[in-house]
Amino acid sequence: MATLSNELKAVLFWDNFLENPKNVLKENCLVIQNFSYECERMRNNSSDVYGASKPVIMTFTIRVNSPSHAKELYQRLALNGHYEYSILFNVTYDNNQRLKDYEDGMVVNGYVVSLEERYSSLQDDAGVDKQMLLEVKLLVRSTTYMGRERQNDLVSVFIH
């Protein structure tokens, strides 16, 4: 199996981080190894977006340190409800391990439709797998994109 990245290029947070960005703890963020989706929007003759985005499948792979960290996703899969997920890029944390800054991000609302587990080849001294990869498929209802307006604070520009 390929070596997993330890750099925090992208992280997943279970809820809409915009509701309280200063309370996003590092321990509640999961490292995203990769993700993909195709967003389909309708545009008028002036290229302005109108209406809701069409439902699409977003696939992402996250790294969890133990099966218990994946419990939240399994509960969401079982409940068949839609939930919000925040994906943040180039995140930094302060001394208290709270969200300090991010470069870009998106809040995705959708349904978990599939989970697939894979275990890495990394093992601790007792021979137990140290990391697990989860490939998650979401049926996306809506996506809100965020870009930076100013540096060194959490002010965002929203692109629906």
Side-chain angles (χ1 to χ4, degrees), residues 16-18 37 39 41 53 58 84-89 104-109 140-147 156-160:
N16 185 341
F17 88 104
L18 294 169
Y37 75 108
C39 185
R41 304 291 301 262
S53 19
M58 173 184 275
E84 292 183 313
Y85 304 89
S86 297
I87 299 174
L88 302 171
F89 301 96
D104 297 302
M106 64 178 78
V107 176
V108 178
N109 186 303
V140 177
R141 292 181 64 218
S142 66
T143 306
T144 303
Y145 301 97
M146 295 157 294
S156 299
V157 176
F158 300 98
I159 306 166
H160 296 281

Side-chain angles (χ1 to χ4, degrees), residues 72-107:
E72 181 76 24
L73 276 173
Y74 284 108
Q75 288 174 340
R76 291 178 180 201
L77 176 65
L79 293 176
N80 294 324
H82 61 90
Y83 298 94
E84 292 183 313
Y85 304 89
S86 297
I87 299 174
L88 302 171
F89 301 96
N90 295 320
V91 172
T92 57
Y93 299 97
D94 64 16
N95 292 337
N96 297 322
Q97 301 302 305
R98 294 185 184 281
L99 179 65
K100 177 181 177 185
D101 199 10
Y102 65 96
E103 187 174 305
D104 297 302
M106 64 178 78
V107 176

